Amino acid sequence: MTNLQMLSKDRIDQLLALLDAEKINATAAIYQELSDLGYGYAGWGYGVATGETITGQGALLFMQSVAKKNGKTIDFQKVSDIRIDMLEGYLNELLKKAENTGFVNEDITFQETLAFHIQVFDKNGLDISYWTLQTPMAFIDKYLGGKVAQEEAWAKIRNTEGTGLDAIFKSLGLVAIVEAISRGIIYLDENGEIVKKIDIDRNPELIMSRNLTKIIISQEDILAANEWSSNVSTWELLCKLINSDTDTDKNIIIGDQESVGQDDNIIIVNPITNSDRQNIVFGLGGKDHIYGASARDDLYGGSGSDDLYGKDGKDNLFGGINDDKL
C-alpha cells in the first residue's frame, strides 16, 4: 500500500464540484486520484464505481441478489446514483477530517464508512443490509472483540485497496466468520479467534478446554448469517480471478473445493523449470502444507495457520490469515 499523502481541503472541494458537474463520468478518475495518494478505501470505491475489480463486481452482485430477494429492482440508473452518492459520502468524510488543519492524511474508519453507507442506501430507498460488509463486521463487533476489533479488521480490509489476492483472502476470512456464526455455537481461543470446526471435529476434547470460550449465537444472528451467505459466492471470486489472465501458462490447484475449513497437503511433485510456467495454489481454509516446485510458484495459504515452501524459482508466498510459516 502507498503511504498516505496529504490531501488539501481545497482539493476535496474541487473534487466535490467536479462530481456535482460530471456525475458518474467523474467517479473513476476521482477514485483513481485518491488511490494514487494512498487512500485505501478509494481502491474499493473504484472497483464498485467501474465494476473492473473482482471485489467491486462482488459488491454489485451482492446488492442485486439482496434486491431480488426483496422483490426490488435496481436498474442501471439506480446503480449510477448509488455510485455517485457513495463517492460524495466518502469525499465529505475526508472533508470533515480536513476542516481544522486544511488538509487530511488519514483514511476513513469503519464507523465513518458505515455512517455514509447508511445515508446513501436510505437516500436510494434501500437499507444497510445491501452493503456486503454490514453483516460480517457487525458479527465481529458483537462476538469477536467489539469496536476495537472491528476497526482493526476494517483497517486490514481497507488497506488492501480491494485489489489482488490480498483483498480476496481478506474477503474469504469474512466468509469463514459468517459461516462459523451460522452454525449456532462458536468457540474462541485465548486470542479471541474462532476455533475452526475442522479442529473441533478432529479433537472433540478441545471444547472442554478451560482456555476456550463458548458462545451461543442468537437465532436472529444465525438466520442473518445464513441469509448473508446465500447472497455471497465464495468460489465465483476465485474463478473470476483465475480466468482474468488467460495469456499466462498456469497450473492451478485449489484445495478443498467443498467447504472452507479443510486441511490440505499439496505437493507439486513435477519440477517445472520453464520460467514462463506458473504454479498457483490456493490452500483456502484449514492448516495447509503447500510445497512448491522449481517453477515460479504463487502459494496462498488462506485462512488457516499454514506452512508454505517455495522451493526453487521466483516465488510469491502469501500466508493469508492467522499465524503462518513461509
Side-chain angles (χ1 to χ4, degrees):
M1 178 184 167
T2 308
N3 290 330
L4 280 171
Q5 298 180 41
M6 289 185 182
L7 179 65
S8 71
K9 180 179 178 297
D10 288 344
R11 184 53 183 160
I12 299 172
D13 285 330
Q14 291 170 2
L15 293 176
L16 281 166
L18 177 63
L19 180 63
D20 184 56
E22 298 189 13
K23 306 299 182 186
I24 193 65
N25 294 327
T27 55
I30 292 174
Y31 275 127
Q32 187 61 62
E33 178 175 333
L34 297 175
S35 180
D36 290 343
L37 293 175
Y39 291 84
Y41 178 79
W44 287 90
Y46 180 89
V48 174
T50 63
E52 292 179 2
T53 67
I54 295 169
T55 54
Q57 293 171 27
L60 294 169
L61 288 171
F62 180 89
M63 186 170 65
Q64 292 290 359
S65 179
V66 175
K68 184 177 180 180
K69 290 183 178 180
N70 290 336
K72 290 180 177 287
T73 299
I74 303 180
D75 59 20
F76 181 78
Q77 184 57 54
K78 179 65 71 176
V79 172
S80 294
D81 291 343
I82 291 171
R83 284 166 160 163
I84 295 167
D85 293 340
M86 286 294 182
L87 177 51
E88 183 180 18
Y90 182 36
L91 289 171
N92 280 328
E93 288 297 334
L94 293 176
L95 190 63
K96 291 176 187 177
K97 292 176 179 291
E99 284 295 341
N100 293 330
T101 61
F103 66 87
V104 59
N105 63 345
E106 64 178 271
D107 216 333
I108 53 176
T109 67
F110 177 74
Q111 290 302 314
E112 291 165 345
T113 310
L114 175 63
F116 76 75
H117 273 70
I118 291 173
Q119 292 172 358
V120 169
F121 282 125
D122 181 67
K123 177 182 177 181
N124 288 277
L126 308 174
D127 61 56
I128 193 59
S129 68
Y130 286 75
W131 186 30
T132 326
L133 293 186
Q134 165 59 19
T135 294
M137 296 301 284
F139 286 157
I140 291 173
D141 178 18
K142 187 171 183 178
Y143 296 110
L144 302 176
K147 291 292 190 293
V148 172
Q150 188 183 62
E151 288 294 350
E152 289 175 351
W154 166 248
K156 292 176 182 178
I157 294 166
R158 181 196 64 208
N159 292 345
T160 67
E161 301 180 31
T163 59
L165 283 157
D166 196 9
I168 293 291
F169 279 114
K170 288 295 186 296
S171 299
L172 289 175
L174 296 179
V175 171
I177 288 172
V178 177
E179 287 185 347
I181 295 291
S182 72
R183 290 192 284 269
I185 298 176
I186 58 173
Y187 295 89
L188 305 183
D189 62 19
E190 304 97 316
N191 299 318
E193 297 180 352
I194 296 175
V195 179
K196 297 178 180 61
K197 182 178 182 295
I198 189 69
D199 293 332
I200 295 175
D201 289 345
R202 290 181 174 179
N203 184 12
E205 293 182 359
L206 269 178
I207 63 176
M208 304 302 293
S209 171
R210 294 181 179 179
N211 294 326
L212 298 187
T213 302
K214 178 181 179 180
I215 297 179
I216 298 176
I217 309 302
S218 71
Q219 188 62 31
E220 180 183 4
D221 286 341
I222 293 173
L223 292 173
N226 283 315
E227 179 63 24
W228 185 87
S229 296
S230 72
N231 292 313
V232 173
S233 176
T234 304
W235 303 115
E236 186 173 345
L237 291 174
L238 286 178
C239 289
K240 286 185 176 180
L241 176 69
I242 290 167
N243 294 325
S244 64
D245 179 10
T246 57
D247 294 333
T248 304
D249 182 15
K250 295 179 181 178
N251 174 39
I252 300 167
I253 300 172
I254 302 177
D256 178 32
Q257 299 187 54
E258 297 301 320
S259 63
V260 177
Q262 181 67 43
D263 296 358
D264 294 309
N265 287 281
I266 301 172
I267 303 175
I268 305 176
V269 295
N270 182 26
I272 304 170
T273 56
N274 180 1
S275 61
D276 293 331
R277 179 66 177 259
Q278 181 182 10
N279 296 310
I280 303 177
V281 182
F282 299 90
L284 299 181
K287 181 175 175 60
D288 306 313
H289 302 272
I290 305 176
Y291 300 81
S294 299
R296 192 182 97 198
D297 302 314
D298 286 353
L299 311 181
Y300 304 96
S303 60
S305 297
D306 310 305
D307 296 330
L308 309 183
Y309 303 87
K311 200 177 178 181
D312 300 325
K314 185 177 180 180
D315 305 313
N316 175 31
L317 308 183
F318 182 82
I321 300 169
N322 291 341
D323 296 326
D324 307 299
K325 295 180 181 178
L326 310 181

